[in-house]
Amino acid sequence: MFKVSRSRNNREDRPLKSLDRVFSKAGVASRSEARSWISGGRVRVNGKSIRNPDHWVDLERDRVTLDNKPLQQAARRYILLYKPKGYLTTRRDTEGRPTVYDLVSDAGIWLAPVGRLDLDTSGLLLMTNDTGFADRIADPERKVPKVYQVKAATLLSDGQLEQLRHGVPLNDGPTRPAQVRRLRDSARHTHLELTIAEGRNRQVRRMLEAVDSKVLKLVRTAVGPLRLGELPIGKWRDLTVEEVRLLGG
Ligand code: URA
């Protein structure tokens, strides 16, 4: 049976959870996958079939089974994927486009991405079945730095780089100070390294638009202490115990 300890202060550890969340917290399935199992009649709580995914479960007392087998806490798994451009960071796409799940199916377990990379962005994407770890990494207050290499559609002046450094106005508020390094200029493009500690939707693309330029190419090269290193594009590897520890896992 899946159990967690009772704690008054931490919402994550409260023993009452909706039935679908019990599965994601156990690292077994996404909530949407769990909802389909539940509505399909595969799940019992204390021996009684429950088809309502919002049914409250007391993790300390209730016995949850899937296909008559007790729900077990899955072993925690943390992987680093080198996402290629052209892959969606979603499980399924109505248009049938490739997704990051096509690249990690050989990991053999359910994993959820830690944040997202746009369809046209390549680079380092963490995936895990530890939802608490994913929430901590994505929490803007923890300020985990993410490093991007950017090819801008124009040549950028020192003034434009200074604006990016100081923070630019976006429709969801100004960006926090960023580290910006000019890598090189070609005839018509500036190549930059941009380090930000936020993770807003399309943030880097919108930052470049805010200084009257555009992103032509975007690669995330690092998250916190992790680097892409020698990993080939489209491949993944497990994080080491030390890497998980350094990220606060
Ligand atoms: N910023 C973006 O604009 N896109 C990404 O995929 C990541 C960061």
Side-chain angles (χ1 to χ4, degrees), residues 26-43:
V28 170
S30 67
R31 288 177 75 180
S32 61
E33 201 169 1
R35 288 176 93 86
S36 79
W37 294 347
I38 297 162
S39 56
R42 296 174 58 189
V43 176

Side-chain angles (χ1 to χ4, degrees), residues 40-191:
R42 296 174 58 189
V43 176
R44 289 174 178 266
V45 179
N46 302 324
K48 189 168 166 231
S49 174
I50 301 287
R51 288 177 181 252
N52 172 13
D54 299 319
H55 178 87
W56 287 106
V57 172
D58 182 335
L59 293 174
E60 290 185 349
R61 300 214 178 122
D62 294 331
R63 199 164 41 85
V64 178
T65 58
L66 171 68
D67 298 334
N68 296 319
K69 291 192 203 79
L71 180 61
Q72 306 273 2
Q73 171 76 59
R76 296 304 192 199
R77 194 81 185 270
Y78 309 86
I79 73 165
L80 185 166
L81 169 70
Y82 188 165
K83 176 196 171 299
K85 180 179 159 171
Y87 282 75
L88 287 161
T89 314
T90 47
R91 178 166 282 279
R92 272 183 215 97
D93 179 43
T94 46
E95 295 171 37
R97 287 172 293 181
T99 81
V100 292
Y101 286 93
D102 299 330
L103 301 169
V104 300
S105 56
D106 51 338
I109 49 155
W110 170 72
L111 294 164
V114 179
R116 275 168 194 272
L117 290 178
D118 298 337
L119 178 67
D120 285 339
T121 305
S122 61
L124 196 163
L125 182 69
L126 294 175
M127 296 183 78
T128 182
N129 60 357
D130 182 344
T131 52
F133 172 87
D135 291 345
R136 289 195 295 281
I137 301 297
D139 179 0
E141 290 315 313
R142 289 187 47 136
K143 299 195 176 85
V144 176
K146 288 135 199 139
V147 184
Y148 294 90
Q149 288 201 1
V150 183
K151 179 180 180 185
T154 58
L155 277 172
L156 297 174
S157 67
D158 288 345
Q160 285 169 301
L161 299 197
E162 207 47 38
Q163 281 179 274
L164 292 171
R165 251 177 226 122
H166 272 273
V168 290
L170 299 182
N171 57 11
D172 49 359
T175 57
R176 290 185 186 160
Q179 287 172 40
V180 180
R181 200 155 64 90
R182 188 190 296 279
L183 297 176
R184 66 191 166 87
D185 285 343
S186 61
R188 286 188 296 178
H189 307 288
T190 293
H191 296 251

